[in-house]
Amino acid sequence: MEAGPASADGTAATDPPAAAAGTQDIVVIDPASPGRTFDGLGAVSASASSRLLYDYPEPERSQILDYLFKPGYGAGLQLLKVEIGADTNSTSGAEPSHERTRGDVDCDRGYAWWLMKEARKRNPDIVLSGLQWGAPGWFEGGFWSQDNIDYLINWLDCAEQQGLEIDYMGGWNESGYDEDWFVAFERALAEHHPDVRLAAADDEPHRGWRVADDLAANPEFGAAVDVANLHSPCGHRTLYQVCQSTQTARDLGKPLWIGELSAMAHDAGAEPLARVANRMYIDADITAMMAWTPISAWYSNITLADTGLMVAEWPWSGFYDVGDSIWAYAHTTQFAQPGWRYLDSGSRRLSSGATVVSLLSPDGGDVSAVVETLDATGPGSITFDLSEAPAGELQVWSTDFGSDDPADRFRHVGTVVPQGGQATIDVEPGHVYSVTTTDGQAKGDARPSADVTGQLAIPFREDFEGIEHGQLARYFSDLAGGFEAAPCLAGRSGTCYQQQITEAPISWGLVGELPLSTLVGDPRWWGDYTVRADVMLTEPGYVEVGGRVSGQSWGSQASGYHLRVGTDGWALHSRDHAGRRDVVLASGEEAIGVGEWHEVALSMHGDELGVHVDGVRLGQVRDTTQRTGNVALSVSAWQQAQFDDVAVTPTARAPRFVPKDEITVTATSEHGFDRGWTREVENLVDDRPETMWSSSFNPPVGLPQSVTLDLGRTQPIQALTYQPRLDGNTNGMITSYEVYVSRDGETYELVADGTWSADSSTKVAAWDRTTARYVRLVAPDDENACAETTAAGNELGVVSATGPELETTPPAPDRADLPPDAPAAFDHLVPQDAMTATASSVHSPPNVPCKAIDGKRTTFWHSAPAVTGPLPASVTLDLGAGHDIGGLAYLPRQDGNLNGTVTSYRVEVSADGQTFTEVAAGSWQDTPAQKYATWSPTTARYVRLTATAGHFNVASAAELHVGHVP
């Protein structure tokens, strides 16, 4: 006789109901079934991802840690991997090294030790691992050297000093592996830390399970490594619907782990993570996985912000957001522990599209099953055959990911009493269910006292006094280099903040090396402020003090205004990380000396920028290309310098905004899930700079697109602010706009229109004071635009007319098409707007051929994926008429990703588009720098660039220019 479904009030249903509509599956829970050992679900703290958590106030910091690590409360992480820092950027920041120079070991640097101790305090059984993204530059022999092995042994010694036992070590994150090095490292571990095991090789997903082939083929390598792992074998920032391994990997006789996959946004990654938790074993015999990151605790305007199981970017207020991913984990981690065993008889894909995994405790006394119905086609029922399993009541927990009610997450929905060795539960699509004989599960209920709107107050000051030497200052987060408290030099008493790294580290290849810099402040700061600092150079070079930092993305310098002062004079830079723009607005010969303290200040008030050194104004310019953001301090490469008394003070009253919690927003379309985030229109008014709205682009619905804000009541307003996307991509940035207002939501009046530049800075559209309840931003259609089919943005603000007036942001000044040192063949260029472009292959919209001639460094053409359209690939330019041409200028993509950089090429020209003659061929370096091919002037109308080799066996081009003789 079947038991009835668990009832909503938690009582046992004893009479079987009528058969549930939909599919019916039987799952056999057989303790005698074979199955691999479950090794756990965990997370990877790396790339400064936990930096701001360290600065959180209590009790919020402990609450967050409980949600992450405390068993029976939240995610209950069972594994934690940390970055072994090297003072080099590894995605969203840099983590400090324990040994910056040979023999100079400091076991107290950074916050990874603290995080591991807090994790183990809550869960003594948590499995701890270490992995490198980079390494110090003092190694002889590079990364795969004996110096690195010694360095890692020292790190493990530090762990022991910290009272930590490390369980696993790895090699070089997503950078390949050296088999002999792993063998040598294992020997060193056997001598110095015999309980530490090795995992290999944390490879990039496109490499597949090649490490398994090498482990099988090389007995020494195979004997040295205990766990084979791979990154993202279920996809990268996707729905994670299918996981993969090879038969060779499964036959190794070693555990297979997901060394890293993206957690994605804390409110969008839950369903994909729940799929992985089941399907990694069902599809691929994988028994553990770790998501990057446990918590998104870095500045919201930095690369990949809001990637984590939780988000905590506001240490000044203590606000944090738990999100659904915590409960996706809880459905496994609160019901099975490492050491439990999968039961193959009860772990499979079901006929409905749902999946189930079943696990048995080591003593055979308890069982748990996790069912996810995220891809189920309809409702159904599952009957568990428990005739050979431990007897007892079954507790049923459920999460409805389709519900908007947080109460429907991780809810105890009842108890089922097996009858006749069987128990049946009814299941609905879009859910995760946990069925167990265990108890002790609970849903944490802590909440922060603050909300998301609380900004870090200005004035802000940090004098660094009271900070232990070698430690980090509150809210300061390094992008690259190593900034820490140190004794002041050059006759100054007290504590200062010093950049310590004097040699280029071995950097992580996916990012490269960035300027030595650290950020501080609220990314939402309105930019009318002065940032000042006392600075001191220890050797010839420069320091920078920057403000209005709108953001930073893969491998780029931070945006904003940056005042450089040094031994060669001063210069004021305006930078934008979208397109790698760096423009010098003003400069002078006034210099500062070595070993001297000077006060440096950058004042910003509207479009007025002032340069001040030691209280003397050295320059004043007007510029409108930056508007909001936090503060940066920077130092010339591999030089030490000190800062003291950093202060941010207002230069004007900030505008008054209509409170965003009073605004509702609608759009003509929205995209939804995209690469691990949701692109919903509500993101425009959530007061979080990292979230984004996009109109639908798959399939594209095209322009025009509009967003309408309902302010809740009629009120006086004067401007709209628009913060574009901050991820370094310009697709969808609104560059042509119209703004309408309405009192009744029916009749709208045009109050502003114009154009903005395609960059990451916040824009303003202002108008004469008017009274309205509704504001509509329109991105109109532009028939001359190149494949512009979407509109996107991160934040909108409506400015009240009761505060200071704002002025409309004009387009940025035009920039030169090519650098000033371009060859003479490019003194005269064929206008891009006279050209058309075609290509032999295209990856997908929007990376179409015309993007290579659209005048925007931030867009690019991309050839088809290597697996479907390998090189060679070509792009052909029709110049519109014949010209005497003598050169082709090629700019690789500028988004920090080298994929598609052309490294071997040929150039052909044609008068008729049919017969082509080769005029140049050669190779270019695999860098994002501007590149050229020149030849003797030839009359032609068509120019074809063919990539015969390229990074990752594909081709791309941000900009192409053709030089001609007038």
Side-chain angles (χ1 to χ4, degrees):
M1 177 178 177
E2 295 182 352
S7 60
D9 62 4
T11 61
T14 57
D15 295 322
T23 59
Q24 300 181 40
D25 287 283
I26 297 176
V27 175
V28 179
I29 308 295
D30 181 3
S33 170
R36 296 185 179 225
T37 299
F38 171 63
D39 292 313
L41 303 186
V44 182
S45 176
S47 313
S49 62
S50 301
R51 170 65 192 94
L52 297 181
L53 175 60
Y54 187 68
D55 292 334
Y56 256 71
E58 293 292 352
E60 287 85 357
R61 187 170 76 168
S62 291
Q63 293 169 358
I64 294 168
L65 292 165
D66 285 348
Y67 274 116
L68 293 175
F69 300 112
K70 183 179 178 180
Y73 190 84
L77 295 178
Q78 297 160 329
L79 307 99
L80 175 64
K81 182 189 294 183
V82 301
E83 178 180 353
I84 301 170
D87 301 297
T88 182
N89 186 281
S90 50
T91 294
S92 50
E95 301 211 11
S97 168
H98 63 284
E99 190 176 1
R100 285 170 169 160
T101 58
R102 186 187 300 273
D104 179 23
V105 179
D106 185 337
C107 295
D108 294 319
R109 276 198 197 106
Y111 38 90
W113 307 120
W114 164 82
L115 184 65
M116 287 189 285
K117 287 192 284 188
E118 292 293 330
R120 188 151 276 176
K121 180 169 67 176
R122 288 163 172 80
N123 178 6
D125 296 323
I126 194 168
V127 174
L128 300 178
S129 302
L131 181 68
Q132 294 173 279
W133 271 248
W138 55 263
F139 292 177
E140 294 182 7
F143 187 92
W144 305 111
S145 64
Q146 182 62 44
D147 276 347
N148 195 17
I149 291 174
D150 296 340
Y151 176 79
L152 294 175
I153 295 297
N154 289 340
W155 187 82
L156 290 168
D157 292 342
C158 284
E160 286 190 351
Q161 290 186 32
Q162 295 284 346
L164 293 165
E165 295 180 1
I166 304 300
D167 298 287
Y168 289 91
M169 295 287 284
W172 194 357
N173 181 73
E174 297 181 347
S175 301
Y177 51 93
D178 183 297
E179 297 174 38
D180 293 337
W181 183 89
F182 271 92
V183 173
F185 188 21
E186 192 277 333
R187 291 172 182 162
L189 290 174
E191 178 180 355
H192 298 283
H193 296 277
D195 294 331
V196 177
R197 290 160 286 180
L198 279 179
D202 287 283
D203 227 346
E204 296 173 281
H206 69 270
R207 304 290 186 182
W209 288 93
R210 63 174 180 172
V211 69
D213 298 335
D214 292 331
L215 289 168
N218 183 341
E220 278 196 300
F221 185 35
V225 172
D226 299 279
V227 170
N229 69 18
L230 177 66
H231 289 193
S232 305
C234 308
H236 177 60
R237 301 191 75 94
T238 66
L239 297 177
Y240 299 157
Q241 292 175 312
V242 177
C243 301
Q244 297 178 339
S245 66
T246 63
Q247 190 62 49
T248 300
R250 295 192 290 273
D251 290 343
L252 284 173
K254 302 178 187 295
L256 305 181
W257 289 6
I258 298 174
E260 178 192 318
L261 85 170
S262 177
M264 301 189 279
H266 77 293
D267 57 354
E271 293 186 34
L273 292 172
R275 290 188 183 93
V276 174
N278 276 18
R279 301 181 192 193
M280 65 179 189
Y281 184 73
I282 296 168
D283 293 349
D285 283 346
I286 295 170
T287 58
M289 71 100 156
M290 289 175 275
W292 183 79
T293 66
I295 190 161
S296 180
W298 65 95
Y299 282 120
S300 60
N301 55 346
I302 303 304
T303 306
L304 294 180
D306 193 7
T307 298
L309 305 181
M310 294 178 61
V311 60
E313 304 163 344
W314 309 270
W316 42 84
S317 71
F319 177 72
Y320 62 87
D321 195 6
V322 176
D324 289 345
S325 294
I326 292 292
W327 310 120
Y329 263 53
H331 271 285
T332 297
T333 60
Q334 291 202 31
F335 299 89
Q337 298 304 309
W340 283 48
R341 185 169 59 83
Y342 286 103
L343 299 177
D344 290 349
S345 67
S347 302
R348 61 188 177 87
R349 290 177 177 263
L350 303 179
S351 58
S352 65
T355 69
V356 59
V357 292
S358 303
L359 300 107
L360 180 72
S361 65
D363 64 4
D366 283 300
V367 293
S368 293
V370 183
V371 178
E372 60 87 4
T373 64
L374 300 172
D375 296 324
T377 55
S381 66
I382 299 174
T383 296
F384 293 97
D385 182 343
L386 299 157
S387 56
E388 302 297 328
E393 294 182 342
L394 296 176
Q395 306 300 320
V396 183
W397 291 70
S398 170
T399 289
D400 179 1
F401 284 119
S403 170
D404 293 330
D405 186 353
D408 290 329
R409 307 294 187 268
F410 202 64
R411 185 166 64 98
H412 183 248
V413 295
T415 303
V416 177
V417 179
Q419 299 184 29
Q422 292 188 337
T424 298
I425 64 170
D426 293 343
V427 296
E428 296 288 337
H431 285 62
V432 178
Y433 301 89
S434 296
V435 182
T436 186
T437 60
T438 66
D439 56 20
Q441 294 80 19
K443 181 179 181 179
D445 59 1
R447 294 292 181 269
S449 58
D451 63 29
V452 70
T453 62
Q455 290 194 14
L456 178 60
I458 294 179
F460 168 82
R461 184 188 178 197
E462 179 57 74
D463 61 11
F464 307 106
E465 299 304 325
I467 303 174
E468 184 179 349
H469 294 166
Q471 298 302 304
L472 305 175
R474 186 181 60 163
Y475 309 152
F476 282 73
S477 185
D478 296 350
L479 283 178
F483 293 75
E484 64 183 27
C488 295
L489 303 175
R492 176 170 288 211
S493 61
T495 299
C496 292
Y497 214 49
Q498 181 166 315
Q499 198 295 117
Q500 300 282 26
I501 310 306
T502 58
E503 184 176 11
I506 301 170
S507 60
W508 188 44
L510 296 186
V511 173
E513 206 51 58
L514 302 184
L516 304 175
S517 53
T518 189
L519 297 185
V520 64
D522 196 321
R524 300 169 295 180
W525 274 346
W526 191 257
D528 289 334
Y529 59 77
T530 293
V531 53
R532 52 92 54 212
D534 293 341
V535 304
M536 191 273 296
L537 296 171
T538 62
E539 57 187 307
Y542 63 81
V543 296
E544 291 184 352
V545 174
R548 296 187 181 177
V549 176
S550 60
Q552 182 270 341
S553 61
W554 288 96
S556 71
Q557 299 184 78
S559 293
Y561 295 121
H562 298 264
L563 171 57
R564 176 178 295 185
V565 180
T567 50
D568 291 331
W570 64 271
L572 178 60
H573 293 252
S574 175
R575 298 181 183 133
D576 187 71
H577 66 281
R580 307 300 202 266
R581 189 189 70 221
D582 189 343
V583 178
V584 175
L585 301 176
S587 61
E589 297 180 355
E590 295 87 347
I592 62 174
V594 173
E596 304 170 351
W597 281 98
H598 296 274
E599 180 190 61
V600 175
L602 170 62
S603 64
M604 296 163 288
H605 179 192
D607 63 354
E608 296 180 1
L609 311 175
V611 173
H612 309 263
V613 176
D614 295 327
V616 177
R617 175 178 288 177
L618 300 183
Q620 183 171 349
V621 297
R622 290 183 177 272
D623 189 77
T624 59
T625 55
Q626 315 290 341
R627 201 65 193 87
T628 59
N630 45 6
V631 165
L633 305 177
S634 304
V635 179
S636 48
W638 323 126
Q639 295 181 339
Q640 294 181 335
Q642 290 196 329
F643 299 86
D644 198 11
D645 290 333
V646 176
V648 181
T649 55
T651 56
R653 285 192 302 145
R656 294 187 60 184
F657 287 90
V658 176
K660 291 187 177 179
D661 59 5
E662 297 178 3
I663 299 175
T664 57
V665 58
T666 57
T668 47
S669 73
E670 62 183 8
H671 187 72
F673 183 89
D674 171 44
R675 293 180 299 142
W677 293 279
T678 57
R679 305 307 192 187
E680 298 169 347
V681 69
E682 290 82 1
N683 292 339
L684 287 170
V685 291
D686 63 359
D687 213 16
R688 293 178 50 198
E690 75 276 22
T691 62
M692 187 175 86
W693 161 76
S694 175
S695 62
S696 179
F697 55 81
N698 188 19
V701 296
L703 299 178
Q705 293 288 324
S706 66
V707 173
T708 302
L709 306 176
D710 179 352
L711 311 184
R713 60 183 176 86
T714 301
Q715 53 191 294
I717 55 176
Q718 58 156 317
L720 178 77
T721 62
Y722 165 68
Q723 180 192 283
R725 61 192 304 173
L726 295 178
D727 59 358
N729 191 325
T730 60
N731 288 333
M733 283 188 180
I734 298 175
T735 54
S736 178
Y737 69 89
E738 298 167 355
V739 182
Y740 298 82
V741 299
S742 172
R743 286 174 168 268
D744 58 8
E746 299 291 336
T747 302
Y748 282 85
E749 174 190 2
L750 177 68
V751 291
D753 61 351
T755 58
W756 290 318
S757 300
D759 56 47
S760 64
S761 64
T762 297
K763 313 295 193 296
V764 177
W767 56 82
D768 293 337
R769 169 183 170 141
T770 190
T771 300
R773 173 173 172 170
Y774 300 89
V775 180
R776 177 171 293 166
L777 172 64
V778 177
D781 191 12
D782 183 353
E783 61 183 16
N784 295 318
C786 166
E788 296 293 346
T789 60
T790 61
N794 283 28
E795 285 291 306
L796 292 178
V798 178
V799 182
S800 170
T802 61
E805 291 186 5
L806 297 183
E807 296 184 357
T808 293
T809 305
D814 291 336
R815 58 181 298 173
D817 293 318
L818 296 176
D821 60 354
F826 301 96
D827 287 349
H828 302 278
L829 301 177
V830 177
Q832 285 182 319
D833 58 10
M835 303 180 191
T836 56
T838 57
S840 61
S841 75
V842 176
H843 188 283
S844 59
N847 303 122
V848 294
C850 63
K851 294 295 185 181
I853 54 170
D854 65 353
K856 299 177 182 178
R857 297 161 58 93
T858 54
T859 62
F860 55 91
W861 159 75
H862 196 294
S863 69
V867 295
T868 58
L871 299 182
S874 64
V875 59
T876 301
L877 306 180
D878 178 351
L879 309 184
H883 295 270
D884 290 334
I885 56 176
L888 178 74
Y890 163 66
L891 182 69
R893 60 192 292 181
Q894 298 293 296
D895 62 349
N897 188 332
L898 287 173
N899 286 351
T901 299
V902 176
T903 56
S904 180
Y905 70 91
R906 67 175 179 267
V907 180
E908 300 164 287
V909 300
S910 171
D912 59 5
Q914 301 296 320
T915 303
F916 282 83
T917 302
E918 182 177 305
V919 291
S923 60
W924 287 317
Q925 290 186 336
D926 191 9
T927 70
Q930 180 75 58
K931 307 176 193 312
Y932 306 97
T934 59
W935 56 88
S936 298
T938 301
T939 301
R941 173 172 172 168
Y942 300 89
V943 181
R944 176 174 292 163
L945 170 65
T946 298
T948 55
H951 192 98
F952 201 25
N953 200 29
V954 289
S956 61
E959 286 296 295
L960 294 174
H961 287 280
V962 177
H964 76 104
V965 178

